[in-house]
Amino acid sequence: QVQLVESGGGSVQAGGSLRLSCAASGYTYGNKLMGWFRQAPGKEREGVAVIYTGGGTTYYADSVKGRFTISQDNAKNTVYLQMNSLKPEDSAMYYCAADITGRGGWIFDWARFDYWGQGTQVSVSS
């Protein structure tokens, strides 16, 4: 079955960096939309960055542009999120997601994504 397994979260000080990984299995990697979302306590889930795994096109939320980079390793069926210049407001549970059935819609609409990882916690202290 489809599995998305995240890793790489942790605790850092403001200004620090972390790299999250999402290993995908159970489906043909191909040209899918994969992304990273985050949810902080008491807040709605928000899209952070997405990538079309076929051509590598990427999109970012305004709040992370210039600081976060989404990338992929097709040979490993893995998507990464490099997070630099982290801020306390970046603290959240980060989830990897995949739109495998091709539902379409807004790229940062979490309802579009039909498979999710278990999440990895990112905590940034000031």
Side-chain angles (χ1 to χ4, degrees):
Q1 72 272 23
V2 176
Q3 280 194 313
L4 302 176
V5 180
E6 302 111 330
S7 60
S11 298
V12 295
Q13 290 191 324
S17 298
L18 285 172
R19 189 176 82 153
L20 307 183
S21 299
C22 173
S25 62
Y27 68 97
T28 302
Y29 192 64
N31 185 30
K32 311 295 184 187
L33 181 65
M34 294 190 67
W36 290 96
F37 287 72
R38 66 186 181 188
Q39 188 166 20
K43 294 188 176 182
E44 293 192 356
R45 190 173 303 186
E46 62 171 346
V48 174
V50 298
I51 184 169
Y52 283 95
T53 58
T57 301
T58 60
Y59 298 92
Y60 297 91
D62 287 343
S63 58
V64 306
K65 279 180 182 176
R67 301 188 298 122
F68 290 12
T69 302
I70 188 170
S71 62
Q72 61 177 338
D73 184 335
N74 287 351
K76 296 182 179 180
N77 289 359
T78 299
V79 173
Y80 303 98
L81 185 68
Q82 178 67 44
M83 305 185 293
N84 298 330
S85 302
L86 283 161
K87 304 175 181 180
E89 52 264 43
D90 293 319
S91 297
M93 186 71 79
Y94 281 70
Y95 298 91
C96 176
D99 172 12
I100 293 174
T101 56
R103 293 178 176 179
W106 184 46
I107 55 173
F108 286 132
D109 180 0
W110 64 266
R112 167 180 182 160
F113 294 79
D114 38 16
Y115 289 93
W116 293 81
Q118 79 286 356
T120 185
Q121 181 68 42
V122 171
S123 298
V124 184
S125 59
S126 56

